[in-house]
Amino acid sequence: EKNPKIININLLNKFPKEIIDIFNIIEKVSKHRNEKAYLVGGIVRDLILNIKNLDIDIVIEGDAIAFAKELNVFLNIKKIITHEKFKTAIIFLETGLNIDLASSRLEYYEYPTSLPTVSYSSIDKDLYRRDFTINAMALEIDYNNFGKLIDYYNGYYDLINKKIKILHNLSFIEDPTRIIRAIRFASRYNFDIESDTEKFLIQAVNDGFLNKISFDRLKNEIIKILKDKNPHKALNLFEKFNIFEKFNLNIIITPSTYNIFKKVLENKDEIIKNNVKPWQILLITLFRRLNSEDLKTIFHRFGFKNKFIRKISIGINERKIIVEKLKTANKNSKIYFLLNNIPLEIIYLIKYSYPEIENKINLYLNQLQNIVPIINGKILLKNGYTESKKIKNIIKHALELQLDNENYTIKEILKELHEKHI
Ligand code: ATP
């Protein structure tokens, strides 16, 4: 039986008052029930790193559901969701904060299939089932002990030395999602993967364990990586460990992948202003070489809507032709009609892949896409046109005239239309 390393650092005063108040109540309930409560996982790690993190994960040495119900008496709770099978509870507070409570247990499986029912254990065993040493530290919620880090696996040391390290040799095989998580944390904090850990990671990749990750978990990890501030290092590591090659999809990371990532990240604010999510452009960038069937399947499973997927896949397939046509497009209307059916995500992908047409894309993004047609069907009918199949073309022609002649009035457009169509 190992003793934890107890490190005295004053962690308590780092939390905002709102959270300290919650801890006080948890402590009271913990004493009353005679069940210890611990703050665990990412929040402890980020607390030491001085990074804001309000994901309150609590492990109870005992029955987390009964514990949560008792907290209910003292906190302003909006609702509680419980999972009898996993012995977990999520408390949603009126203030918008959530508290996750779990009963300390032996195994980490989010979706246990053939596992025995969860059995309670002590905190050290609960920490042992976690992914990396830096994520396997706890703080006991007890003001006599608080501020003391419970660290059985030298997580504090690894955190200070910027190392991602597994807790035991079979870790990646037990749960291959950790392969992607190792890359995610290494990238996010700019840490190194510890050398033995890296050996086991490479071994697990080469032995084909990536294909055992469920799509949903893979998806969640990838989205988290792409939402991070700087996913460059993740790209590097994906490449270094040949992660994508193992998935049997046509995903290759090229210098232009890095380039597009860089530009998307530099222009995040502008992209968000245009109602586009930067991480979605990055995702499309990674998958831009897929054939359209694979692309559709994957984007569907990433949660994009059908209509949007259809547009993305058309856009991706046609983007080289569009680029060629844009190069010679010498009128606003040409640029407009080449781009106006293409989702903005693809337009950004094009913009950042082909600097030679960036000006034209900017013209579209900043100006042309916002132009409101001044001539519609109603106006045409009032001006002597009759309802017919042709009217659609005439409306389009009117917009073309408007786009190419910035100062045209309605009158002038109608005059030109008249010469052509009547
Ligand atoms: P963040 O939410 O900031 O991305 P996090 O560490 O909170 O980081 P989560 O995915 O929310 O990440 O996981 C919470 C904790 O649960 C982790 O700190 C880790 O201790 C444990 N954990 C999560 N996934 C695994 C896994 N696949 N294997 C082992 N432990 C895991």
Side-chain angles (χ1 to χ4, degrees), residues 248-310:
N248 239 345
L249 292 165
N250 184 15
I251 302 173
I252 24 174
I253 296 172
T254 64
S256 91
T257 313
Y258 284 98
N259 231 335
I260 298 166
F261 266 57
K262 182 161 172 272
K263 290 185 176 155
V264 170
L265 297 166
E266 283 169 358
N267 293 288
K268 255 186 175 170
D269 294 343
E270 182 213 314
I271 292 169
I272 292 168
K273 265 195 214 133
N274 252 320
N275 281 324
V276 176
K277 298 190 173 83
W279 73 265
Q280 296 192 342
I281 306 177
L282 299 179
L283 186 78
I284 292 170
T285 303
L286 283 179
F287 294 156
R288 70 195 186 283
R289 285 160 207 265
L290 260 56
N291 68 45
S292 75
E293 278 319 299
D294 286 343
L295 203 79
K296 281 181 189 158
T297 315
I298 288 194
F299 285 158
H300 185 70
R301 297 181 73 181
F302 265 95
F304 294 116
K305 301 259 181 322
N306 278 334
K307 195 172 151 204
F308 184 64
I309 294 173
R310 212 171 312 125

Side-chain angles (χ1 to χ4, degrees), residues 133-361:
T133 61
I134 60 165
N135 288 341
M137 293 180 273
L139 287 169
E140 189 177 340
I141 302 185
D142 170 345
Y143 278 78
N144 294 321
N145 283 321
F146 208 82
K148 288 180 186 165
L149 195 66
I150 299 174
D151 180 15
Y152 287 91
Y153 311 106
N154 277 328
Y156 186 77
Y157 177 85
D158 291 331
L159 200 56
I160 299 303
N161 287 292
K162 301 171 177 276
K163 297 281 183 216
I164 307 295
K165 188 176 171 189
I166 42 176
L167 275 66
H168 59 86
N169 301 352
L170 294 176
S171 188
F172 290 122
I173 295 185
E174 208 174 270
D175 180 358
T177 317
R178 294 172 187 162
I179 297 167
I180 310 296
R181 290 175 63 86
I183 292 173
R184 173 154 80 82
F185 290 116
S187 176
R188 181 196 289 173
Y189 299 121
N190 197 16
F191 283 12
D192 288 326
I193 297 175
E194 179 265 343
S195 65
D196 279 337
T197 298
E198 183 173 298
K199 265 196 326 229
F200 289 116
L201 185 152
I202 291 171
Q203 179 99 47
V205 170
N206 290 341
D207 290 348
F209 279 91
L210 283 171
N211 286 311
K212 300 214 154 95
I213 307 176
S214 81
F215 189 88
D216 271 350
R217 297 184 71 190
L218 183 65
K219 175 184 107 180
N220 290 338
E221 293 296 333
I222 288 187
I223 291 178
K224 279 191 174 183
I225 289 174
L226 298 179
K227 281 182 174 173
D228 264 342
K229 237 200 219 115
N230 179 12
H232 260 82
K233 183 159 177 172
L235 272 190
N236 253 312
L237 294 172
F238 281 140
E239 203 183 354
K240 175 175 177 185
F241 301 132
N242 297 321
I243 299 290
F244 287 130
E245 280 164 34
K246 302 286 169 187
F247 284 123
N248 239 345
L249 292 165
N250 184 15
I251 302 173
I252 24 174
I253 296 172
T254 64
S256 91
T257 313
Y258 284 98
N259 231 335
I260 298 166
F261 266 57
K262 182 161 172 272
K263 290 185 176 155
V264 170
L265 297 166
E266 283 169 358
N267 293 288
K268 255 186 175 170
D269 294 343
E270 182 213 314
I271 292 169
I272 292 168
K273 265 195 214 133
N274 252 320
N275 281 324
V276 176
K277 298 190 173 83
W279 73 265
Q280 296 192 342
I281 306 177
L282 299 179
L283 186 78
I284 292 170
T285 303
L286 283 179
F287 294 156
R288 70 195 186 283
R289 285 160 207 265
L290 260 56
N291 68 45
S292 75
E293 278 319 299
D294 286 343
L295 203 79
K296 281 181 189 158
T297 315
I298 288 194
F299 285 158
H300 185 70
R301 297 181 73 181
F302 265 95
F304 294 116
K305 301 259 181 322
N306 278 334
K307 195 172 151 204
F308 184 64
I309 294 173
R310 212 171 312 125
K311 279 193 176 182
I312 303 181
S313 57
I314 293 172
I316 287 193
N317 284 334
E318 293 185 348
R319 78 183 188 287
K320 299 220 162 110
I321 300 170
I322 294 170
V323 168
E324 283 315 308
K325 289 187 177 163
L326 275 173
K327 281 183 187 163
T328 57
N330 51 5
K331 283 182 172 177
N332 288 355
S333 59
K334 288 239 167 74
I335 298 171
Y336 181 91
F337 289 116
L338 279 168
L339 295 175
N340 89 327
N341 248 324
I342 308 288
L344 284 171
E345 288 76 3
I346 303 288
I347 294 181
Y348 277 112
L349 173 64
I350 295 175
K351 167 171 159 164
Y352 298 136
S353 321
Y354 303 92
E356 64 273 33
I357 49 164
E358 199 176 330
N359 283 342
K360 289 177 183 170
I361 303 231

Side-chain angles (χ1 to χ4, degrees), residues 365-415:
L365 288 173
N366 301 330
Q367 206 181 312
L368 303 182
Q369 70 160 337
N370 301 316
I371 285 181
V372 181
I374 50 176
I375 301 249
N376 55 29
K378 237 183 184 168
I379 295 180
L380 290 179
L381 294 180
K382 266 199 204 149
N383 283 279
Y385 293 84
T386 46
E387 189 114 43
S388 75
K389 276 186 193 155
K390 270 206 254 162
I391 208 145
K392 235 179 157 177
N393 284 332
I394 302 173
I395 293 172
K396 189 178 167 192
H397 188 196
L399 178 57
E400 202 177 306
L401 290 169
Q402 182 186 345
L403 286 162
D404 293 337
N405 304 279
E406 270 169 51
N407 303 317
Y408 263 29
T409 59
I410 296 188
K411 238 183 177 167
E412 285 166 307
I413 295 177
L414 282 173
K415 186 168 164 256

